[in-house]
Amino acid sequence: MKRALITLLTLACLFPPALAVAAERTEETKPWIDRYMIYYGKLDAKTIETAKSYELVVLHPHNANLTREQVKAIQAGNNPKDAADDVIVLGYISVGEDSRTYGLTSDQMTKDRRFVGDGTGPRVDPRGPHPNGSNSLEGIDPRGDASPGGAGFASYYLDDNDRDGQPDRNRYFDVAFVNVGDPVWFDLLNRMKLDTDGIAGFGELLTETYGRGLGLNGVFLDTVDTAAPNSYTDKNSGNQTEFEWTAPGYADFLERLRDAYPDKYVMQNRGLFYFDPRLPHYDFNPGEAVDFVLFESYRMNSSDQETFNANFAADNKFNIMPKLMAEANRPGGFQALSLGYAEGPSKEMKEETLTGQSTLGIDLLKQDIVEAEQVAGFRHYITNAYLTVANSFVAERGSLKDAAPPAWSSVYNDSPVWPPKSVAPRVGIQEAVALPQGVKVRWDIALDLHPVTYTLYYQESPFDFAKDPNLTKAKRLTLTPSVAEGYGKGDAKAYPYEATVRGLKPGTTYYFAIRAKDASAAANEEKNDVVLKVQTMK
């Protein structure tokens, strides 16, 4: 690919040692971690020691004023001579907002060449203002159109909220939104340095030869939600973001990142709409391009007004989470992590509970662990609103013992109300379609503390569940799930998984069952007795 080649050649000039030793990542090299920490504060000796006890740590290079020596100390783990306890360290970087613009007015930006670029921005959705008809995101120019009355900003700034010629800004954090798919933006992020830009770019984060040479193991991509569906907000929202047209460009962005740093890990914060088959964003699902997806505020959010929002928590649990986990467990998928906050009204919760200096809210925090890990299958961490409390609360209280088999769930929720009250599980095999000398089977998702695999059992006579509950007499096949027909194509009831079985006798009746098994040491398998009978085509 020409673009990838150009990017690599450019980077080779900047960081030749890193690219010379880069090793191609494969599905088999994707890591699995049981305990992680995310920390946005300064690093002292005590915090570094806490970080060493984790398998993965996310740091904020700017807030920490991070150095290579600090990174190396954490990466080495508790025993520098034992590679088995080495720590994966990721660095924060904002990709959907330009942190450099904090507190700057549009007028101030126009007087600074860093924000002027080629003067063709800000840019807007080429489909027109607030498009309502087709929601398709296919075929959109990743750079968009020039904004009416644009006042000479860099091409990657956005102006879809009001089209006034000025870059739209995040009202909460006072920074400008950017188009992550603009190639110029990637090149800028790659070159940025802490000591000149206040931001560590990819080159400084991921190599030891550029800027501070932090030599991290990967990156934590924040502000991905800039590309959220337009329907999520409007002019009356607290923080309007109508930039869904930039979603396809995120796939290009990840491809550039992977081309340049093939041996590094990528964690994505939220962007959960990419994994929702009801949305056009699903066509640009980044699942294979990322190693981890963080579900921030899965249950307990960072508000000091409530310990958690019951409506959003229910929607997350019964609607969004199953769809996310369906993608996580695909071949080449990712590991899903979650983040909760020890915030809320002071009479109900204290962040000091995380470090044993209080017990206020401890039952709420314990339940947060159960919901995130035992029910959803995430790996969880809890901190304060500023992410500055390094702690081992979840590590000490969350149990990773897995004696229970996977529990069936569903990506389809037929609840007539919002938020949904529950989700009706679709257990075992759901569809079986006859083929010449074969059959195509479809099924839904099962949840567990560990990754889940699915086994197809089949035979030419009915199963006797009473005498042979483990189906030892049946033939069995570990299924490799692909995206089922209709999933992500407008069929709300479509199943997420399907697989084709070949080599069956033509014109023969078979009985099929699918059971879910976890990847724990015990290999727990559930024992559903759902059966479909199918006669193969002659």
Side-chain angles (χ1 to χ4, degrees):
M1 295 175 288
K2 182 180 291 185
R3 179 196 48 72
L5 179 60
I6 292 173
T7 302
L8 281 170
L9 289 174
T10 302
L11 290 169
C13 296
L14 291 172
F15 326 117
L19 289 177
V21 299
E24 185 69 39
R25 291 171 59 265
T26 65
E27 178 182 339
E28 289 72 24
T29 64
K30 285 197 172 186
W32 177 268
I33 61 100
D34 281 326
R35 290 292 172 226
Y36 87 99
M37 177 178 113
I38 183 166
Y39 180 77
Y40 284 5
K42 292 187 179 298
L43 294 170
D44 56 22
K46 183 178 179 181
T47 303
I48 290 175
E49 286 305 308
T50 301
K52 288 180 180 181
S53 65
Y54 284 93
E55 296 167 76
L56 182 148
V57 174
V58 178
L59 300 175
H60 196 297
H62 175 271
N63 293 356
N65 195 22
L66 196 60
T67 67
R68 175 58 188 154
E69 289 68 28
Q70 292 171 324
V71 172
K72 286 175 63 177
I74 296 173
Q75 288 174 324
N78 289 314
N79 185 354
K81 296 181 180 180
D82 183 5
D85 82 337
D86 284 0
V87 180
I88 296 172
V89 183
L90 308 182
Y92 174 98
I93 188 167
S94 171
V95 299
E97 298 170 5
D98 187 351
S99 301
R100 301 173 303 167
T101 64
Y102 174 73
L104 296 178
T105 66
S106 293
D107 185 60
Q108 289 172 321
M109 289 174 63
T110 60
K111 294 178 172 61
D112 190 326
R113 63 181 183 180
R114 294 180 300 163
F115 310 120
V116 172
D118 63 2
T120 63
R123 311 286 285 186
V124 297
D125 191 333
R127 299 173 300 175
H130 313 292
N132 292 317
S134 171
N135 286 326
S136 174
L137 299 176
E138 295 284 355
I140 295 177
D141 186 330
R143 293 170 297 183
D145 287 346
S147 171
F153 292 90
S155 61
Y156 43 81
Y157 292 119
L158 297 167
D159 186 28
D160 288 285
N161 289 342
D162 50 23
R163 297 197 168 208
D164 65 350
Q166 310 296 315
D168 290 335
R169 301 180 73 85
N170 183 315
R171 296 173 184 171
Y172 297 143
F173 295 100
D174 194 20
V175 292
F177 292 113
V178 297
N179 173 14
V180 69
D182 190 320
V184 176
W185 177 240
F186 178 87
D187 291 339
L188 274 175
L189 280 181
N190 200 43
R191 298 196 303 267
M192 288 183 189
K193 298 179 183 178
L194 274 173
D195 295 327
T196 55
D197 302 289
I199 297 170
F202 295 130
E204 187 167 48
L205 291 171
L206 300 177
T207 78
E208 296 182 41
T209 59
Y210 186 76
R212 295 191 184 184
L214 295 175
L216 296 166
N217 303 97
V219 289
F220 174 74
L221 306 181
D222 197 21
T223 63
V224 175
D225 282 353
T226 295
N230 289 357
S231 60
Y232 281 17
T233 64
D234 58 30
K235 64 181 180 180
N236 298 314
S237 302
N239 197 32
Q240 188 178 6
T241 54
E242 299 206 15
F243 316 115
E244 67 180 19
W245 68 272
T246 66
Y250 181 53
D252 295 335
F253 179 90
L254 288 175
E255 186 179 350
R256 290 186 178 93
L257 182 58
R258 285 300 190 203
D259 287 344
Y261 305 99
D263 61 335
K264 299 297 183 177
Y265 299 120
V266 175
M267 181 186 294
Q268 172 179 313
N269 187 21
R270 293 186 67 90
L272 304 172
F273 41 81
Y274 283 111
F275 310 108
D276 190 331
R278 301 169 300 176
L279 299 171
H281 293 67
Y282 186 75
D283 289 336
F284 307 96
N285 183 336
E288 292 188 7
V290 297
D291 301 286
F292 306 95
V293 172
L294 180 68
F295 200 145
E296 183 183 2
S297 300
Y298 172 63
R299 180 171 173 270
M300 299 186 73
N301 59 47
S302 58
S303 170
D304 60 4
Q305 302 300 307
E306 57 189 4
T307 52
F308 66 94
N309 184 298
N311 291 340
F312 289 126
D315 192 46
N316 288 343
K317 179 178 181 179
F318 299 125
N319 186 12
I320 298 174
M321 178 268 287
K323 297 176 179 63
L324 175 66
M325 295 307 289
E327 303 308 315
N329 279 304
R330 291 193 188 280
F334 50 86
Q335 183 178 2
L337 312 176
S338 55
L339 178 65
Y341 292 96
E343 291 293 337
S346 58
K347 64 180 181 180
E348 297 179 13
M349 179 73 64
K350 283 187 176 181
E351 67 179 51
E352 287 80 5
T353 302
L354 295 174
T355 53
Q357 298 167 289
S358 172
T359 58
L360 189 62
I362 193 168
D363 289 338
L364 284 166
L365 295 173
K366 287 181 178 178
Q367 186 60 30
D368 204 47
I369 301 173
V370 171
E371 292 289 342
E373 297 196 336
Q374 299 297 326
V375 177
F378 302 146
R379 292 298 182 265
H380 199 49
Y381 187 75
I382 304 176
T383 184
N384 66 339
Y386 296 100
L387 294 89
T388 53
V389 177
N391 69 89
S392 55
F393 186 88
V394 176
E396 292 173 354
R397 291 168 178 80
S399 175
L400 298 179
K401 294 179 180 179
D402 193 351
W408 286 95
S409 182
S410 177
V411 298
Y412 172 64
N413 195 311
D414 60 357
S415 174
V417 297
W418 189 93
K421 303 301 181 184
S422 62
V423 58
R426 298 194 289 192
V427 178
I429 189 169
Q430 294 293 308
E431 289 184 352
V433 181
L435 303 171
Q437 298 183 336
V439 65
K440 181 173 289 186
V441 295
R442 299 189 178 103
W443 68 101
D444 214 311
I445 184 174
L447 303 172
D448 192 83
L449 184 62
H450 289 89
V452 178
T453 57
Y454 302 90
T455 302
L456 178 72
Y457 294 87
Y458 61 101
Q459 58 189 39
E460 295 177 40
S461 58
F463 296 110
D464 189 335
F465 292 104
K467 293 183 178 180
D468 187 18
N470 295 325
L471 307 183
T472 58
K473 297 180 180 180
K475 293 182 180 179
R476 63 182 62 193
L477 175 68
T478 299
L479 297 170
T480 300
S482 59
V483 179
E485 181 179 347
Y487 196 70
K489 303 301 179 184
D491 183 356
K493 296 182 179 180
Y495 300 101
Y497 299 140
E498 71 178 22
T500 300
V501 183
R502 301 289 186 185
L504 304 180
K505 300 176 183 177
T508 302
T509 297
Y510 287 88
Y511 296 80
F512 297 94
I514 293 177
R515 288 179 169 178
K517 180 172 62 176
D518 67 36
S520 70
N524 304 296
E525 184 175 66
E526 51 82 33
K527 307 297 181 186
N528 82 78
D529 58 4
V530 177
V531 179
L532 290 181
K533 180 176 70 172
V534 180
Q535 184 181 51
T536 58
M537 297 171 63
K538 295 182 179 179

